Amino acid sequence: MSTINLPLNLTVRVHPVVLFQIVDAYERRNADSERVIGTLLGSVEKGIVEVTNCFCVPHKEHADQVEAELGYASDLYDLNRRVNPSENIVGWWATGQEVTNHSSVIHEYYARECNNPIHLTLDTSLTAARMGIKAYVCVSLGVPGGKTGCMFTPINVEVTSYEPEVVGLSLCAKTIGVQSNPARPRTVSPMLDLAQVSEASGKLQTLLGEVLNYVEDVLAEKQQPDNFVGRALLDLIHSVPNMKHEEFAKMFNSNVKDLLMVVTLSQLIKTQLQLNEKLTSLTSFLS
């Protein structure tokens, strides 16, 4: 069996689109399948394994063996490489909250496909009302000259997002609680840019109010100071550009004008395309 040697200070960063794809594959599984597995795609750099994509691999698990469509997995990976050449195989995923007896067999295949593969599990059964995420590496065990084996050892895992993903997640969050409150809309349309700026400004104002309340309580000795929070606030203050109010207002207004110009141009292009479509249809009808 193939084994790997890895430091246990690795960190796995999973993007939300990967979690959505895993849940979607689990919901579409066959009726006789207890769990779903698939391939993780991404990149590895300086002890950080960033998982940006994945796909499902059809398989069947029996008591003494595992049957997986490896040809399908290889073809799908080759097709993905044509679209995203920067995404490589970094490991594999499975639904469930535990590592099973068949995991070592599946991991052996991925150990041949890439160096130091990781194993990611997603608890789709919602144990304790949470969708738990765990990541493992396979560490070799044994004595020199004797029998060897491997053990799945947990490593750090966290969810990270690109800026467009944050926008999508914020829109999805607005549909939470639809089942408990049927009056809430099931679909949410993206907001206009200015509406997003207004909403972000309101949230920022609320957060600043919470920070000011915390600082005032610490100064009044109503709350114990936290060194971590203090260092974070100091870094935040140092990151703010040192400019006057008039300079900030001028910069903000300039950016708003640029935004309005882009919105106007996009609306003009949209109108022109619609007019061109109607003229083309009219010409085709007359001819």
Side-chain angles (χ1 to χ4, degrees), residues 19-38:
L19 304 180
F20 282 121
Q21 287 177 304
I22 294 176
V23 173
D24 181 69
Y26 179 77
E27 291 293 330
R28 297 173 184 268
R29 72 190 188 282
N30 295 328
D32 57 345
S33 299
E34 295 184 359
R35 72 169 185 163
V36 187
I37 68 170

Side-chain angles (χ1 to χ4, degrees), residues 268-284:
L268 288 175
I269 294 174
K270 182 180 178 180
T271 304
Q272 185 177 3
L273 290 175
Q274 291 175 347
L275 181 61
N276 180 68
E277 182 180 358
K278 292 182 179 180
L279 291 176
T280 303
S281 300
L282 181 60
T283 304
S284 302

Side-chain angles (χ1 to χ4, degrees), residues 95-150:
T95 56
Q97 58 178 335
E98 295 179 354
V99 176
T100 65
N101 296 331
H102 298 115
S103 297
S104 58
V105 180
I106 302 173
H107 198 86
E108 182 180 357
Y109 162 73
Y110 283 95
R112 297 193 299 266
E113 294 295 319
C114 65
N115 294 325
N116 306 330
I118 63 168
H119 176 36
L120 183 74
T121 61
L122 184 65
D123 183 14
T124 50
S125 62
L126 298 179
T127 303
R130 290 183 59 86
M131 187 174 292
I133 307 173
K134 296 181 181 179
Y136 303 88
V137 292
C138 192
V139 180
S140 59
L141 298 174
V143 295
K147 294 184 178 181
T148 59
C150 67

Side-chain angles (χ1 to χ4, degrees), residues 204-271:
L204 180 61
Q205 187 175 4
T206 302
L207 294 175
L208 288 175
E210 295 178 358
V211 171
L212 289 175
N213 292 334
Y214 169 79
V215 174
E216 291 175 356
D217 290 342
V218 171
L219 293 177
E221 298 183 354
K222 296 180 180 179
Q223 185 174 351
Q224 291 294 329
D226 190 324
N227 294 333
F228 177 79
V229 176
R231 286 191 291 268
L233 291 177
L234 183 62
D235 294 337
L236 178 63
I237 294 174
H238 288 166
S239 65
V240 176
N242 186 14
M243 61 175 59
K244 298 180 180 179
H245 174 73
E246 294 78 9
E247 295 176 348
F248 177 80
K250 182 179 179 181
M251 180 188 67
F252 180 78
N253 292 330
S254 176
N255 291 333
V256 171
K257 291 179 181 179
D258 293 340
L259 178 61
L260 291 175
M261 182 183 66
V262 172
V263 172
T264 304
L265 290 176
S266 63
Q267 292 294 336
L268 288 175
I269 294 174
K270 182 180 178 180
T271 304

Side-chain angles (χ1 to χ4, degrees), residues 12-25 40-41 49-55 87 93 120 122 131 133 157-173:
V12 179
R13 294 178 178 175
V14 185
H15 285 258
V17 65
V18 176
L19 304 180
F20 282 121
Q21 287 177 304
I22 294 176
V23 173
D24 181 69
L40 295 175
L41 303 175
V49 181
E50 188 162 359
V51 184
T52 55
N53 200 357
C54 71
F55 59 84
E87 291 183 345
W93 59 266
L120 183 74
L122 184 65
M131 187 174 292
I133 307 173
V157 59
E158 57 188 35
V159 179
T160 186
S161 305
Y162 295 130
E163 291 185 1
E165 292 176 330
V166 173
V167 176
L169 289 175
S170 62
L171 289 175
C172 292

